[in-house]
Amino acid sequence: MGLDYTRIAVISDIHGNLTALNAVLADIRARGIDRIFNLGDMDGKGPDGPEVIDRCRDTCSVNLFGNWDDLMTRPNAENPAMRWHQARLGKERMAWLRQLPTTYDFRLSGRHIRLFHASAQGIWNRVFPHNDHNILLGMFENTAFTGYDHPRPDIVGYGDIHHAFIMPFFTPKNKTLFNAGSVGNPLDEPRATYVILEGVWDDESWDSPFSIELVRLPYDVESVIQRARALNMPQTDALAIELRKAIYRGMQKPAS
Ligand SMILES: [Mn+2]
């Protein structure tokens, strides 16, 4: 009898980019992937936050809370650009975002896997792959944020930095940190990015095959920029450079 594999798409940081999300969902469907887990930051930056939130609600079996989901659902978003995005969401979507969980734990081919948006310390604590070894190890800690009543994870997946990577540790062995990258606002290369995990669901044996794969997908970047311009979305110029060149707005040359 063959093993019954489960394939999971881990998506993150869609940021209102419905065109990129649709490209990713079509790719997920074409591959016959079983489940979609979303690590948060559905809104802000791109023009179609409400549609992205509705799509995630319909298609993802896990939706986690990100730092932008926090920003967008505060009583009064902090600047006019954020208020533009917030005003389009409506109370019901904001209430749904607010009640999302912050972490999700499961087991695949023996590995205990934990997902969250940014770090084991919370949604506002940012961790980069070039950070100190101890900071990277901290991603595997049980904390007040992740809950203390779980086994320590063997694999941790997160989003937040919009840079994808897969990092099996040299020491300790059998720990892997990965970043799912960003579907709608990638800052490593200008293509919609997500991760596929494959293994045997809830299996206790490490001897079942297991894999992690990084997917890069082209999509119609220009149509997203056109749509943002048609809506007079604030900060569309900064978004356009991010989407075309994967250069973060904080690193772009200021307009003269
Ligand atoms: Mn983000």
Side-chain angles (χ1 to χ4, degrees), residues 13-226:
D13 294 86
I14 306 160
H15 283 294
N17 188 337
L18 183 65
T19 309
L21 176 61
N22 282 338
V24 165
L25 292 178
D27 188 69
I28 287 169
R29 256 195 315 276
R31 291 171 194 256
I33 287 170
D34 305 285
R35 303 173 199 214
I36 309 173
F37 296 170
N38 165 26
L39 308 187
D41 274 15
M42 283 165 256
D43 190 28
K45 303 191 185 205
D48 291 306
E51 294 79 3
V52 164
I53 291 167
D54 294 346
R55 219 62 217 283
C56 290
R57 216 171 158 172
D58 288 345
T59 54
C60 303
S61 36
V62 171
N63 289 289
L64 299 181
F65 191 61
N67 58 312
W68 274 77
D69 304 315
D70 181 21
L71 283 176
M72 286 294 134
T73 55
R74 288 179 181 181
N76 233 321
E78 58 191 62
N79 62 51
M82 285 184 190
R83 284 196 289 277
W84 184 91
H85 290 284
Q86 187 177 52
R88 303 175 75 238
L89 293 187
K91 280 199 174 117
E92 210 273 330
R93 285 189 194 89
M94 283 172 65
W96 179 74
L97 287 173
R98 262 286 147 202
Q99 54 78 51
L100 292 176
T102 49
T103 67
Y104 182 69
D105 283 53
F106 61 104
R107 197 165 47 182
L108 206 59
S109 293
R111 285 97 177 145
H112 189 92
I113 303 178
R114 176 168 299 158
L115 305 174
F116 43 61
H117 184 72
S119 92
Q121 307 305 317
I123 57 172
W124 288 102
N125 181 247
R126 187 154 285 168
V127 173
F128 292 100
H130 55 267
N131 283 150
D132 225 64
H133 188 60
N134 282 333
I135 289 174
L136 298 179
L137 274 180
M139 297 292 265
F140 297 82
E141 293 296 316
N142 287 336
T143 64
F145 175 84
T146 62
Y148 293 106
D149 55 342
H150 298 291
R152 294 288 178 91
D154 307 298
I155 296 174
V156 166
Y158 74 116
D160 186 53
I161 58 173
H162 302 206
H163 283 248
F165 67 85
I166 301 169
M167 185 195 286
F169 277 40
F170 188 73
T171 177
K173 289 179 189 172
N174 297 326
K175 293 222 182 269
T176 298
L177 181 64
F178 76 86
N179 190 293
S182 170
V183 168
N185 190 255
L187 298 174
D188 43 5
E189 60 171 275
R191 278 163 280 275
T193 300
Y194 75 101
V195 158
I196 299 170
L197 306 175
E198 184 178 51
V200 181
W201 182 260
D202 209 27
D203 188 15
E204 288 176 28
S205 172
W206 276 68
D207 291 329
S208 301
F210 175 79
S211 62
I212 306 182
E213 179 183 357
L214 195 55
V215 181
R216 307 283 198 179
L217 284 179
Y219 70 96
D220 189 353
V221 167
E222 295 308 316
S223 78
V224 181
I225 296 165
Q226 278 169 24

